[in-house]
PDB file of all heavy atoms in Angstrom:
ATOM      1  N   PRO A   8    -146.675 -71.049  61.518  1.00 93.00           N
ATOM      2  CA  PRO A   8    -145.381 -70.438  61.852  1.00 93.00           C
ATOM      3  C   PRO A   8    -145.398 -69.861  63.267  1.00 93.00           C
ATOM      4  O   PRO A   8    -146.466 -69.557  63.803  1.00 93.00           O
ATOM      5  CB  PRO A   8    -145.241 -69.319  60.806  1.00 93.00           C
ATOM      6  CG  PRO A   8    -146.629 -69.048  60.317  1.00 93.00           C
ATOM      7  CD  PRO A   8    -147.420 -70.313  60.487  1.00 93.00           C
ATOM      8  N   SER A   9    -144.221 -69.744  63.867  1.00 90.00           N
ATOM      9  CA  SER A   9    -144.151 -69.182  65.221  1.00 90.00           C
ATOM     10  C   SER A   9    -143.135 -68.053  65.262  1.00 90.00           C
ATOM     11  O   SER A   9    -142.069 -68.127  64.635  1.00 90.00           O
ATOM     12  CB  SER A   9    -143.793 -70.285  66.219  1.00 90.00           C
ATOM     13  OG  SER A   9    -142.556 -70.038  66.833  1.00 90.00           O
ATOM     14  N   ALA A  10    -143.492 -67.000  66.013  1.00 90.00           N
ATOM     15  CA  ALA A  10    -142.604 -65.823  66.118  1.00 90.00           C
ATOM     16  C   ALA A  10    -141.243 -66.225  66.666  1.00 90.00           C
ATOM     17  O   ALA A  10    -140.213 -65.719  66.223  1.00 90.00           O
ATOM     18  CB  ALA A  10    -143.258 -64.777  67.024  1.00 90.00           C
ATOM     19  N   ALA A  11    -141.222 -67.173  67.626  1.00 90.00           N
ATOM     20  CA  ALA A  11    -139.948 -67.583  68.240  1.00 90.00           C
ATOM     21  C   ALA A  11    -139.049 -68.233  67.201  1.00 90.00           C
ATOM     22  O   ALA A  11    -137.843 -67.969  67.138  1.00 90.00           O
ATOM     23  CB  ALA A  11    -140.220 -68.556  69.385  1.00 90.00           C
ATOM     24  N   ARG A  12    -139.641 -69.094  66.357  1.00 91.00           N
ATOM     25  CA  ARG A  12    -138.809 -69.845  65.407  1.00 91.00           C
ATOM     26  C   ARG A  12    -138.444 -68.983  64.197  1.00 91.00           C
ATOM     27  O   ARG A  12    -137.372 -69.144  63.614  1.00 91.00           O
ATOM     28  CB  ARG A  12    -139.534 -71.138  64.996  1.00 91.00           C
ATOM     29  CG  ARG A  12    -139.786 -72.055  66.203  1.00 91.00           C
ATOM     30  CD  ARG A  12    -140.334 -73.396  65.776  1.00 91.00           C
ATOM     31  NE  ARG A  12    -141.412 -73.281  64.819  1.00 91.00           N
ATOM     32  CZ  ARG A  12    -142.708 -73.456  65.097  1.00 91.00           C
ATOM     33  NH1 ARG A  12    -143.090 -73.763  66.324  1.00 91.00           N
ATOM     34  NH2 ARG A  12    -143.618 -73.329  64.157  1.00 91.00           N
ATOM     35  N   ILE A  13    -139.322 -68.049  63.818  1.00 93.00           N
ATOM     36  CA  ILE A  13    -138.977 -67.115  62.734  1.00 93.00           C
ATOM     37  C   ILE A  13    -137.769 -66.283  63.170  1.00 93.00           C
ATOM     38  O   ILE A  13    -136.803 -66.102  62.430  1.00 93.00           O
ATOM     39  CB  ILE A  13    -140.177 -66.192  62.398  1.00 93.00           C
ATOM     40  CG1 ILE A  13    -141.336 -67.007  61.823  1.00 93.00           C
ATOM     41  CG2 ILE A  13    -139.759 -65.088  61.429  1.00 93.00           C
ATOM     42  CD1 ILE A  13    -142.644 -66.231  61.723  1.00 93.00           C
ATOM     43  N   TYR A  14    -137.809 -65.830  64.395  1.00 93.00           N
ATOM     44  CA  TYR A  14    -136.707 -65.027  64.948  1.00 93.00           C
ATOM     45  C   TYR A  14    -135.429 -65.857  65.012  1.00 93.00           C
ATOM     46  O   TYR A  14    -134.328 -65.373  64.712  1.00 93.00           O
ATOM     47  CB  TYR A  14    -137.143 -64.535  66.325  1.00 93.00           C
ATOM     48  CG  TYR A  14    -136.150 -63.712  67.090  1.00 93.00           C
ATOM     49  CD1 TYR A  14    -135.830 -62.419  66.700  1.00 93.00           C
ATOM     50  CD2 TYR A  14    -135.560 -64.222  68.237  1.00 93.00           C
ATOM     51  CE1 TYR A  14    -134.935 -61.666  67.432  1.00 93.00           C
ATOM     52  CE2 TYR A  14    -134.671 -63.472  68.976  1.00 93.00           C
ATOM     53  CZ  TYR A  14    -134.357 -62.192  68.568  1.00 93.00           C
ATOM     54  OH  TYR A  14    -133.478 -61.443  69.300  1.00 93.00           O
ATOM     55  N   ASP A  15    -135.573 -67.129  65.371  1.00 92.00           N
ATOM     56  CA  ASP A  15    -134.403 -68.023  65.392  1.00 92.00           C
ATOM     57  C   ASP A  15    -133.792 -68.102  63.985  1.00 92.00           C
ATOM     58  O   ASP A  15    -132.564 -68.068  63.834  1.00 92.00           O
ATOM     59  CB  ASP A  15    -134.852 -69.418  65.867  1.00 92.00           C
ATOM     60  CG  ASP A  15    -133.712 -70.410  65.840  1.00 92.00           C
ATOM     61  OD1 ASP A  15    -132.763 -70.235  66.616  1.00 92.00           O
ATOM     62  OD2 ASP A  15    -133.749 -71.349  65.010  1.00 92.00           O
ATOM     63  N   TYR A  16    -134.649 -68.163  62.979  1.00 93.00           N
ATOM     64  CA  TYR A  16    -134.142 -68.221  61.595  1.00 93.00           C
ATOM     65  C   TYR A  16    -133.434 -66.903  61.240  1.00 93.00           C
ATOM     66  O   TYR A  16    -132.370 -66.912  60.614  1.00 93.00           O
ATOM     67  CB  TYR A  16    -135.290 -68.510  60.632  1.00 93.00           C
ATOM     68  CG  TYR A  16    -134.845 -68.730  59.201  1.00 93.00           C
ATOM     69  CD1 TYR A  16    -134.084 -69.847  58.851  1.00 93.00           C
ATOM     70  CD2 TYR A  16    -135.178 -67.828  58.202  1.00 93.00           C
ATOM     71  CE1 TYR A  16    -133.669 -70.054  57.538  1.00 93.00           C
ATOM     72  CE2 TYR A  16    -134.770 -68.022  56.892  1.00 93.00           C
ATOM     73  CZ  TYR A  16    -134.017 -69.137  56.560  1.00 93.00           C
ATOM     74  OH  TYR A  16    -133.606 -69.336  55.266  1.00 93.00           O
ATOM     75  N   PHE A  17    -134.009 -65.761  61.661  1.00 93.00           N
ATOM     76  CA  PHE A  17    -133.352 -64.460  61.432  1.00 93.00           C
ATOM     77  C   PHE A  17    -131.931 -64.484  62.007  1.00 93.00           C
ATOM     78  O   PHE A  17    -131.012 -63.893  61.446  1.00 93.00           O
ATOM     79  CB  PHE A  17    -134.091 -63.314  62.122  1.00 93.00           C
ATOM     80  CG  PHE A  17    -135.444 -62.953  61.553  1.00 93.00           C
ATOM     81  CD1 PHE A  17    -136.353 -62.229  62.326  1.00 93.00           C
ATOM     82  CD2 PHE A  17    -135.811 -63.320  60.276  1.00 93.00           C
ATOM     83  CE1 PHE A  17    -137.590 -61.872  61.820  1.00 93.00           C
ATOM     84  CE2 PHE A  17    -137.058 -62.973  59.766  1.00 93.00           C
ATOM     85  CZ  PHE A  17    -137.944 -62.253  60.542  1.00 93.00           C
ATOM     86  N   LEU A  18    -131.777 -65.175  63.153  1.00 92.00           N
ATOM     87  CA  LEU A  18    -130.479 -65.205  63.832  1.00 92.00           C
ATOM     88  C   LEU A  18    -129.542 -66.262  63.262  1.00 92.00           C
ATOM     89  O   LEU A  18    -128.438 -66.447  63.756  1.00 92.00           O
ATOM     90  CB  LEU A  18    -130.674 -65.477  65.331  1.00 92.00           C
ATOM     91  CG  LEU A  18    -131.248 -64.332  66.162  1.00 92.00           C
ATOM     92  CD1 LEU A  18    -131.630 -64.825  67.561  1.00 92.00           C
ATOM     93  CD2 LEU A  18    -130.256 -63.182  66.281  1.00 92.00           C
ATOM     94  N   GLY A  19    -130.015 -66.981  62.231  1.00 91.00           N
ATOM     95  CA  GLY A  19    -129.170 -68.030  61.649  1.00 91.00           C
ATOM     96  C   GLY A  19    -129.260 -69.342  62.405  1.00 91.00           C
ATOM     97  O   GLY A  19    -128.429 -70.234  62.211  1.00 91.00           O
ATOM     98  N   GLY A  20    -130.281 -69.498  63.269  1.00 90.00           N
ATOM     99  CA  GLY A  20    -130.424 -70.724  64.060  1.00 90.00           C
ATOM    100  C   GLY A  20    -131.075 -71.859  63.277  1.00 90.00           C
ATOM    101  O   GLY A  20    -131.518 -71.680  62.131  1.00 90.00           O
TER     102      GLY A  20
END
Side-chain angles (χ1 to χ4, degrees):
S9 116
R12 299 187 313 256
I13 295 169
Y14 179 71
D15 177 66
Y16 186 67
F17 291 161
L18 287 169

